[in-house]
Amino acid sequence: MSSYLRMVVSATLAIASLFLAASLTLATGGRTFVVTLAGGATDDPDGTGTAWLRVNPGTGEVCYTITVANIGVPTEPAAGLGAAHIHDYATTGIFVDLETTWTATTSGFTTAGCTNGERDALIALLRDPSGYYVNVHTVEYPSGAIRGDLR
C-alpha cells in the first residue's frame, strides 16, 4: 500500500472514530473514556489493564468495564471501598468509588457495573478529564497496582 493511500485510510478511520465517539456521547448522554492501565515506578511493574468508563452527569452515573492482568487479586484498600476508583490529581483522593466486584478470567480479572456520582463533580471531570486517573488496588499494592489517566 502506498504511503498516500495509508495516509488517506488513516485519516478516514480517524474521522470515522470521531463521528462514532460523538454519536455514542449523544446516544448515552455522557462521554466514554478508554483508559490504558499500567504499573509504574511505585506500582506493579508487570500490571496491565483497560478501563472503559461512561460518565453521564445527566443521570449521575458512571458505568465501567475494567479488565486487568498480572496484578494479583484486586482488593479493597479499606472496608467499604471498591478495589478501583477514579481519583483527582488535585487531592489524590477518591473522586468516584467504582464499587467493583471482580471475576477471574483466563488472563486476569474483570468487573463491570454502574455507580452514582454528584452531577457537578461529573461535569467538572468532563470539563478537564486530564485532572483525573483510574487505579486498581491489590493487597501487595494498597495504594494502587496499576493506573491510567483520563484524556
Side-chain angles (χ1 to χ4, degrees):
M1 180 182 299
S2 74
S3 62
Y4 174 76
L5 184 56
R6 265 185 262 156
M7 183 178 70
V8 170
V9 169
S10 180
T12 303
L13 289 173
I15 291 168
S17 295
L18 288 173
F19 280 118
L20 177 60
S23 66
L24 285 174
T25 297
L26 292 173
T28 63
R31 179 172 172 195
T32 301
F33 296 90
V34 179
V35 181
T36 299
L37 306 172
T42 60
D43 309 320
D44 189 331
D46 299 325
T48 61
T50 303
W52 293 269
L53 306 169
R54 190 179 76 237
V55 177
N56 187 335
T59 62
E61 268 191 332
V62 177
C63 294
Y64 57 88
T65 299
I66 304 170
T67 60
V68 299
N70 304 317
I71 66 167
V73 180
T75 307
E76 296 180 340
L81 296 177
H85 309 97
I86 299 173
H87 292 265
D88 68 277
Y89 275 111
T91 67
T92 68
I94 295 172
F95 190 73
V96 176
D97 179 9
L98 297 177
E99 302 174 10
T100 54
T101 302
W102 295 86
T103 303
T105 67
T106 56
S107 59
F109 295 88
T110 189
T111 186
C114 294
T115 190
N116 295 319
E118 296 292 325
R119 181 180 185 277
D120 290 343
L122 298 181
I123 288 171
L125 183 151
L126 292 180
R127 285 190 177 141
D128 182 22
S130 65
Y132 302 87
Y133 63 95
V134 176
N135 74 349
V136 179
H137 303 267
T138 64
V139 169
E140 187 176 358
Y141 297 94
S143 296
I146 54 176
R147 73 170 55 198
D149 296 336
L150 276 70
R151 297 187 195 272

